[in-house]
């Protein structure tokens, strides 16, 4: 097809109207491309055509590539969305200049505002939000808008028993389990819940394998589902041959991954483990879990594995399994096999963030100790840590207090994230970490100072800077006193000559001093 035909799929204009706009006023056109990471995951064709004329006909992927490179419609503008993991690859695809904005989720104030808008009733909002606020890990999870909505939904439906629900909402999987259990209370009773969940899981698994998120009605009904009454499927439409075709999708891509994992748990032992084995084999874990790569960017399989680990945590999944009368003995064998596979992965690949997330979803301290039992150091160098990841890391470190060396250099740490990690940081003898802003060094000293385990610390400019570090700050604690020394070299244009400043204060004042001023 031509670019004109491709664009006609996604708007109501005719081919002549589109052609006229692109030819006469291309500089007034803004092209929106949603989910470009899905495009990045497609391997490039061997016959990569370079298209310069919008009327030339080619494969849609070749057209898109020419638009992204600025070869087609170079005067037009583009706005693209992508998952964070694919940002580096997308940067290489696009024409310049570029401007990036990252959606990092709600701040704590944003979570509070969302709760207020969701509950509307002021008294109900206050009661619910204050209880969530006490549960710091749950409050952090609510920074993800989707999870925030799900938590609010569950708490509103179970308001009379919200204390019990609050204790259950600990991991990502537990939030999905309670949300699904709540929706199942309104399930059409003409079909058993277990049968419906298996059918839903079968449809989800096929979509995960084929990287499909939209399903035609025939493929949905083929699994025994009634798309008109199923509360987990949303109706949408797709333009084909100038007519709108009804299609169905899960309310969010993550639900497709969740129901795939649930499907594996609900199969019989032999078939279940066979599918999980295939899943782990296709994951190709070596070297693609922490860092972006073509295989990882839009790969749903790691999320399926994490959900699987979470579902095998009996405390998290009990509300759902009790509803469908699915007994624990049926999943014990699967849990044992999955744990052993996870341990093997960790032994071969080290403490990858993905593996730590899986251990966190399992919430089994004995498994964590076995997995990390031989590790005296943990290296997460250049792995971007979100606040939710910091709770994962804290849990694993607290289960394994023998970790002595921790490398958190270039992990996008902030004062807020350091506060989450503080209980575990004081257990490490040696630690390397970096912060983006100099002002956060003051927060770091305060946070580490509270532990009273801090002995020595050196702060210096980035090792990646063009010149060697131009200044350094050394902190040492001896006999209850803190000695700080700031040294500056002659290369620093801020000072006319070599500068040395020394300051001593009692250790008891280290956490109450505003070090950012110093």
């Amino acid at each position: 097809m031509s670019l004109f035909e491709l664009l006609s799929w996604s708007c109501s204009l005719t081919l002549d109207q589109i052609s006229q706009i692109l030819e006469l006023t291309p500089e007034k056109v803004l092209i929106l491309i949603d989910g470009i990471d899905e495009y990045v995951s497609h391997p490039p064709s061997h016959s990569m055509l370079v298209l310069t004329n919008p009327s030339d006909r080619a494969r849609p992927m070749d057209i898109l590539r020419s638009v992204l490179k600025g070869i087609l419609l170079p005067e037009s503008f583009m706005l693209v969305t992508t998952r964070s993991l694919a940002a580096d690859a997308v940067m290489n695809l696009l024409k310049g200049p570029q401007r990036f904005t990252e959606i990092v989720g709600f701040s704590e104030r944003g979570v509070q505002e969302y709760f207020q808008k969701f509950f509307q009733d002021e008294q109900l909002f206050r009661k619910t939000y204050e209880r969530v606020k006490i549960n710091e890990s749950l409050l952090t999870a609510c920074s993800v808008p989707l999870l925030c909505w799900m938590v609010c939904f569950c708490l509103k439906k179970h308001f009379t028993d919200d204390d019990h629900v609050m204790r259950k909402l600990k991991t990502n999987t537990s939030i999905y389990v309670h949300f699904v259990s709540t929706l199942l209370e309104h399930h059409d009773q003409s079909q058993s819940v277990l049968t419906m969940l298996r059918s839903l899981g079968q449809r989800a698994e096929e979509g995960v394998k084929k990287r499909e998120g939209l399903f035609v009605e025939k493929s949905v009904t083929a699994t025994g589902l009634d798309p008109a009454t199923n509360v987990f499927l949303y109706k949408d439409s797709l333009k084909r041959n100038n007519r709108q075709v009804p299609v169905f999708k899960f309310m969010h891509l993550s639900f497709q991954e969740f129901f795939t994992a649930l499907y594996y748990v609900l199969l019989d032992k032999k078939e279940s483990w066979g599918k999980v084995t295939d899943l782990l084999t296709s994951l190709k874990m070596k070297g693609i879990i922490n860092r972006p790569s073509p295989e990882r960017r839009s790969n749903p399989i790691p999320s399926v594995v994490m959900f699987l680990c979470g579902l095998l945590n009996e405390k998290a999944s009990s509300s759902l399994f009790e509803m469908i009368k699915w007994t624990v003995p049926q999943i014990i064998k699967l849990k044992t096999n999955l744990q052993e596979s996870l341990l093997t992965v960790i032994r071969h690949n080290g403490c990858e963030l993905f593996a730590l997330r899986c251990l966190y979803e399992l919430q089994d301290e004995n498994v964590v100790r076995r997995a990390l039992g031989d590790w005296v150091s943990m290296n997460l160098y250049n792995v971007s840590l979100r606040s939710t990841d910091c709770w994962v890391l804290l849990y694993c470190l607290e289960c394994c207090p023998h970790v002595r060396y921790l490398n958190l250099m270039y992990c996008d740490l902030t004062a807020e994230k350091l506060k989450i990690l503080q209980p575990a940081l004081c257990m490490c003898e040696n630690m390397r970490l970096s912060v983006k802003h100099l002002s956060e060094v003051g927060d770091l000293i305060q946070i580490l100072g509270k532990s009273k385990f801090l002995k020595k610390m050196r702060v210096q400019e980035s090792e990646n800077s063009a010149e060697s570090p131009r200044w350094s700050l050394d902190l040492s604690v001896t006999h209850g006193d803190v000695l700080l020394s700031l040294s500056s070299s002659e290369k620093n244009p801020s000072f006319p000559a070599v500068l040395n400043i020394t300051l001593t204060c009692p250790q008891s004042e280290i956490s109450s001093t505003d070090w950012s001023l110093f």
Side-chain angles (χ1 to χ4, degrees):
M1 63 176 66
S2 69
L3 174 62
F4 302 141
E5 292 169 310
L6 180 61
L7 290 174
S8 72
W9 275 49
S10 54
C11 69
S12 57
L13 300 176
T14 65
L15 288 174
D16 289 339
Q17 289 172 320
I18 293 172
S19 172
Q20 188 175 12
I21 290 170
L22 294 183
E23 288 175 358
L24 297 179
T25 55
E27 73 282 356
K28 292 185 177 181
V29 173
L30 173 65
I31 300 172
L32 308 179
I33 305 176
D34 186 28
I36 199 173
D37 47 304
E38 299 295 339
Y39 162 76
V40 172
S41 68
H42 285 270
S45 61
H46 294 294
S47 58
M48 290 197 299
L49 298 176
V50 178
L51 305 172
T52 55
N53 191 328
S55 61
D56 289 343
R57 298 174 66 83
R59 295 188 328 131
M61 286 297 175
D62 291 327
I63 295 173
L64 184 57
R65 185 179 293 108
S66 295
V67 171
L68 291 170
K69 289 288 187 183
I71 301 168
L72 265 180
L73 304 181
E75 304 95 337
S76 300
F77 298 88
M78 275 188 291
L79 178 62
V80 303
T81 69
T82 175
R83 299 183 201 182
S84 300
L85 284 169
D88 290 342
V90 171
M91 196 185 305
N92 296 327
L93 278 174
L94 299 175
K95 63 178 181 180
Q98 302 163 6
R99 178 176 294 173
F100 290 87
T101 301
E102 183 180 8
I103 301 172
V104 295
F106 291 139
S107 63
E108 188 172 328
R109 182 179 177 84
V111 173
Q112 182 178 348
E113 290 175 357
Y114 186 88
F115 267 68
Q116 195 165 15
K117 290 176 181 177
F118 186 93
F119 288 98
Q120 297 180 331
D121 180 273
E122 186 67 19
Q123 188 176 354
L124 186 58
F125 149 66
R126 289 286 174 197
K127 183 176 183 287
T128 309
Y129 179 72
E130 289 303 321
R131 291 190 179 182
V132 170
K133 196 174 178 181
I134 295 170
N135 186 337
E136 290 185 276
S137 59
L138 182 59
L139 183 65
T140 303
C142 286
S143 65
V144 180
L146 176 69
L147 295 183
C148 192
W149 169 65
M150 291 164 67
V151 168
C152 287
F153 183 87
C154 291
L155 294 177
K156 191 172 185 178
K157 292 292 183 181
H158 299 279
F159 180 68
T160 55
D161 193 23
D162 58 354
D163 281 337
H164 174 71
V165 174
M166 205 82 75
R167 287 193 296 272
K168 292 279 189 177
L169 300 179
K170 193 168 186 179
T171 63
N172 272 10
T173 308
S174 65
I175 295 174
Y176 280 79
V177 164
H178 277 274
F179 181 82
V180 169
S181 300
T182 303
L183 281 183
L184 284 174
E185 293 172 5
H186 308 285
H187 169 63
D188 178 13
Q189 298 302 315
S190 62
Q191 185 184 38
S192 79
V193 175
L194 179 58
T195 302
M196 186 273 290
L197 289 177
R198 279 176 171 162
S199 298
L200 202 62
Q202 183 182 351
R203 179 63 271 176
E205 184 206 26
E206 290 171 7
V208 165
K209 285 183 175 179
K210 297 177 181 178
R211 306 281 179 89
E212 291 178 350
L214 299 174
F215 313 107
V216 295
E217 188 170 4
K218 186 177 179 181
S219 70
V220 176
T221 55
T223 57
L225 291 168
D226 180 1
T229 61
N230 194 286
V231 293
F232 299 105
L233 293 174
Y234 283 12
K235 190 174 182 178
D236 205 338
S237 62
L238 194 65
K239 193 173 181 180
R240 284 186 179 174
N241 300 323
N242 293 320
R243 66 187 182 92
Q244 297 293 330
V245 178
V247 292
F248 296 87
K249 63 181 180 180
F250 287 88
M251 58 180 72
H252 190 268
L253 182 62
S254 58
F255 280 93
Q256 188 170 325
E257 296 160 350
F258 172 82
F259 282 113
T260 300
L262 182 61
Y263 177 57
Y264 294 153
V265 174
L266 298 180
L267 293 171
D268 64 67
K269 293 178 185 177
K270 186 175 181 181
E271 188 177 5
S272 175
W273 180 239
K275 284 186 174 291
V276 172
T277 302
D278 293 340
L279 186 76
L280 295 173
T281 302
S282 64
L283 188 58
K284 299 178 181 178
M285 287 180 170
K286 183 68 176 176
I288 69 168
I289 300 303
N290 273 342
R291 297 168 180 81
S293 74
E295 295 170 86
R296 172 69 182 95
R297 285 179 193 107
S298 59
N299 191 346
I301 294 176
S303 297
V304 175
V305 175
M306 281 189 283
F307 277 129
L308 191 58
C309 289
L311 287 168
L312 297 179
N313 169 9
E314 293 95 52
K315 289 182 180 179
S317 55
S318 59
S319 63
L320 180 58
F321 291 154
E322 286 169 8
M323 180 178 286
I324 60 177
K325 297 179 175 58
W326 195 252
T327 56
V328 173
Q330 289 174 276
I331 64 173
I332 288 178
K333 180 65 176 176
L334 176 60
K335 181 176 181 178
T336 304
N337 289 343
L338 183 63
Q339 286 173 358
E340 291 304 319
S341 297
L342 194 59
L343 294 176
T344 302
V345 168
I346 293 173
R347 291 189 192 105
H348 283 93
N349 299 318
C351 295
E352 303 274 13
L353 181 58
F354 168 73
L356 298 181
R357 287 170 176 164
C358 289
L359 293 172
Y360 182 74
E361 291 295 326
L362 275 170
Q363 289 287 304
D364 188 325
E365 292 185 14
N366 291 328
V367 176
V368 179
R369 291 191 186 99
R370 284 184 61 202
L372 308 180
D374 298 332
W375 292 88
V376 293
S377 66
M378 194 175 289
N379 185 6
L380 292 172
Y381 179 89
N382 206 27
V383 177
S384 181
L385 295 176
R386 294 182 176 269
S387 296
T388 47
D389 295 325
C390 291
W391 286 108
V392 170
L393 184 56
L394 173 65
Y395 172 77
C396 293
L397 287 173
E398 287 187 325
C399 289
C400 301
H402 47 263
V403 174
R404 291 288 174 261
Y405 174 76
L406 184 62
N407 188 350
L408 298 177
M409 291 293 289
Y410 309 111
C411 292
D412 297 328
L413 292 176
T414 61
E416 179 185 292
K417 294 174 185 176
L418 288 169
K419 286 174 184 173
I420 295 173
L421 291 171
Q422 191 268 335
L425 296 184
C426 63
M427 297 187 293
C428 301
E429 290 181 359
N430 294 286
M431 182 172 57
R432 298 190 74 215
L433 54 90
S434 58
V435 292
K436 286 187 175 180
H437 306 290
L438 188 59
S439 60
E440 290 173 334
V441 174
D443 296 315
L444 174 61
I445 296 175
Q446 282 186 320
I447 291 163
L448 294 177
K450 284 181 182 178
S451 67
K452 297 185 179 177
F453 285 96
L454 183 62
K455 294 290 182 281
K456 290 183 180 180
M457 183 172 81
R458 164 163 283 201
V459 183
Q460 65 182 36
E461 286 181 289
S462 172
E463 294 173 344
N464 293 338
S465 58
E467 301 175 12
S468 58
R470 296 174 295 179
W471 59 266
S472 65
L473 183 148
D474 290 278
L475 180 151
S476 61
V477 181
T478 54
H479 307 299
D481 287 333
V482 180
L483 179 68
L484 286 106
S485 299
L486 176 64
S487 303
S488 172
S489 72
E490 291 179 339
K491 293 180 180 178
N492 192 333
S494 303
F495 300 105
V498 176
L499 178 72
N500 289 287
I501 301 174
T502 302
L503 174 71
T504 306
C505 80
Q507 186 177 7
S508 58
E509 295 180 13
I510 192 169
S511 60
S512 59
T513 301
D514 185 356
W515 295 106
S516 59
L517 293 173
F518 177 72

